[in-house]
Amino acid sequence: MSKTKFGANGWRPSRINNLTGKTYLITGANTGAGFEASKILLSKGAEVIMLNRNTQKSNDAIAKLKLECGSDSKVSFIKMDLASLASVREAAAQVKSEFHKIDALICNAAIAQVPTQKFTKDGFESQLGVNHYGHFLLCGLLYDLLDQSKGRIVVVASEGYKMGIKTIQFDDMNWDKNYHPNNTYCHSKLAQMLFAYELQDKTAAAQRDVKIYVCHPGASATSLIKNSGSLKSKIIFGLMSMTPLVQSAEKGAYPEIMCATESEENLNQKEYYGPTGRMQWTGPVGACDLESHAQDKTTAIKLWTVSEKETQFKWNL
C-alpha cells in the first residue's frame, strides 16, 4: 500500500462517517492519545467505554468529554488494571455482561521507560506485563464477542520496536540480568506487534471475523513518559515536545482511530500504520516502513506459547 493512499495530507478524522450505533473499547483512555481518540469517536456519534485503572481520573475525563462533546455523549468507564490479570478478567466479564457488540477494541494503554525493574501483581516485569500480557489476556477474553460483532482489534505499538535487542528475551523475560528502561520497554512493544501479526494468521486460518491492525502514534505529546519514565526521560521528552520533532496527542491518536474506523478495503492487516514523515515521528498518517523482525514467525509462535502459559489463558481459535 502506498504511503499516499489517503492523499498528501494522509488520513484525517474528516474521513469518518457517522458512527452512531458503533461501540469502541479503549484501554488507557483518560489522558493522552486515548483521551483524544475517545473525543474524536464521540464527536462522530459513537459510544466509548474506557478501560482505566484510576477511577477519579476516569470520572474527570468523562466530565470533560461530556463538556466538549455534549452531555448526551455515550461514554462510560470500567475499572481495569493491566498490571493485574485478575483485574483484566473482572473487567472483561463486566464488558461481556453489559455490552453485546464491540466494533473495535483499541489496545492503547502502556507504560514506558520505567527507571528501575518493577513487577506486576502477577510477578511479570512491569512493562511486558502491562503492555503485552495484560492486553494478550484482554483480547483473548473478548475475542468471541469481537468475532460475533465482526469487530477489530487495534494494537498500538511503538517505533521503539526497532531499538533494543530486536527479539524476545525468552531466557530472561523479566530482565533480571540486564534490565534497562528503554530496551525493556522496546521488548514489550515488540511483543505486542509479534502477538498482533500472529493473531492475524491464526484468525485467518480459523476463518474468524475479526480484523487486527497494528499502528503507532509517532512522537506525540502524551503523558506516557510523564507517568512512568525517569526524571531524565521526562526532562528530555519535555524539551523535545517544544520542537517540531513531537506532534500533538490529538495527531498521535489518528493512527489508532484510522485502524478502528476506516473502510477495510483501504487497510491492510500486514501493514504498520502511523506518521510517515521524518523518522516516522510526525507527518501524514499512512503505511510505515516495517522491519522484518516484528513479523518473525518462529519468534511469534514461541511468544504465543509462553504468553498462554504465563497468563493461564488458552485461546480457542
Side-chain angles (χ1 to χ4, degrees):
M1 180 180 289
S2 168
K3 289 183 180 180
T4 58
K5 175 76 177 183
F6 304 108
N9 294 323
W11 187 92
R12 301 183 71 82
S14 57
R15 290 182 58 88
I16 303 175
N17 294 320
N18 190 295
L19 296 177
T20 300
K22 301 281 190 180
T23 302
Y24 298 90
L25 292 179
I26 308 179
T27 65
N30 55 20
T31 60
F35 178 84
E36 296 299 332
S38 299
K39 185 161 60 174
I40 293 169
L41 292 169
L42 290 169
S43 73
K44 300 292 184 176
E47 178 172 7
V48 172
I49 302 101
M50 303 190 299
L51 301 176
N52 305 323
R53 62 182 176 178
N54 188 299
T55 301
Q56 185 59 55
K57 288 182 179 180
S58 297
N59 289 333
D60 291 346
I62 288 174
K64 187 175 181 181
L65 286 167
K66 284 182 174 289
L67 187 64
E68 295 187 25
C69 301
S71 59
D72 58 344
S73 297
K74 292 185 176 180
V75 54
S76 57
F77 155 67
I78 291 176
K79 187 176 177 61
M80 185 187 75
D81 183 357
L82 285 165
S84 165
L85 296 182
S87 177
V88 173
R89 291 179 186 277
E90 290 171 8
Q94 186 175 344
V95 169
K96 289 188 284 188
S97 69
E98 296 181 11
F99 300 93
H100 304 293
K101 180 174 179 285
I102 305 174
D103 291 281
L105 165 60
I106 303 177
C107 300
N108 167 82
I111 58 173
Q113 299 181 10
V114 178
T116 59
Q117 185 189 40
K118 295 189 182 305
F119 300 95
T120 68
K121 294 178 182 177
D122 302 283
F124 307 131
E125 185 281 313
S126 62
Q127 295 177 95
L128 183 69
V130 169
N131 300 347
H132 171 59
Y133 286 140
H135 281 124
F136 178 90
L137 177 61
L138 180 65
C139 291
L141 291 168
L142 296 178
Y143 187 86
D144 286 343
L145 179 54
L146 285 158
D147 186 39
Q148 294 164 17
S149 308
K150 296 185 177 181
R152 304 179 184 186
I153 292 172
V154 180
V155 173
V156 181
S158 165
E159 281 289 84
Y161 87 94
K162 298 175 179 178
M163 306 172 195
I165 62 174
K166 296 190 178 183
T167 189
I168 300 300
Q169 189 168 278
F170 290 111
D171 62 339
D172 183 11
M173 294 291 276
N174 275 353
W175 291 69
D176 292 326
K177 300 175 183 177
N178 58 339
Y179 184 83
H180 183 278
N182 192 57
N183 290 347
T184 309
Y185 166 68
C186 297
H187 181 255
S188 72
K189 300 308 285 187
L190 173 60
Q192 285 189 271
M193 295 176 73
L194 288 163
F195 155 66
Y197 291 121
E198 179 60 17
L199 180 57
Q200 291 172 0
D201 292 348
K202 291 183 183 300
T203 293
Q207 297 183 313
R208 304 290 290 269
D209 285 322
V210 181
K211 295 291 187 292
I212 301 97
Y213 298 103
V214 184
C215 65
H216 73 96
S220 303
T222 70
S223 58
L224 182 61
I225 300 298
K226 180 180 178 182
N227 288 342
S228 54
S230 66
L231 177 60
K232 179 180 178 182
S233 297
K234 293 173 184 176
I235 293 172
I236 291 173
F237 193 75
L239 293 172
M240 284 177 57
S241 298
M242 294 184 282
T243 75
L245 292 173
V246 175
Q247 62 187 1
S248 67
E250 179 188 358
K251 288 186 177 179
Y254 287 3
E256 61 191 75
I257 295 299
M258 179 190 77
C259 289
T261 64
E262 180 63 43
S263 171
E264 289 179 11
E265 63 190 30
N266 292 329
L267 297 175
N268 180 342
Q269 291 188 87
K270 291 300 181 184
E271 291 284 10
Y272 169 59
Y273 293 104
T276 59
R278 186 183 181 191
M279 296 187 290
Q280 298 185 165
W281 283 12
T282 61
V285 172
C288 295
D289 295 331
L290 176 64
E291 295 188 10
S292 60
H293 67 277
Q295 294 179 310
D296 184 81
K297 191 70 176 174
T298 301
T299 306
I301 291 173
K302 187 172 182 179
L303 175 64
W304 189 282
T305 301
V306 169
S307 300
E308 284 191 328
K309 177 177 179 292
E310 295 294 351
T311 60
Q312 297 181 33
F313 178 80
K314 181 73 174 177
W315 280 68
N316 182 24
L317 288 168

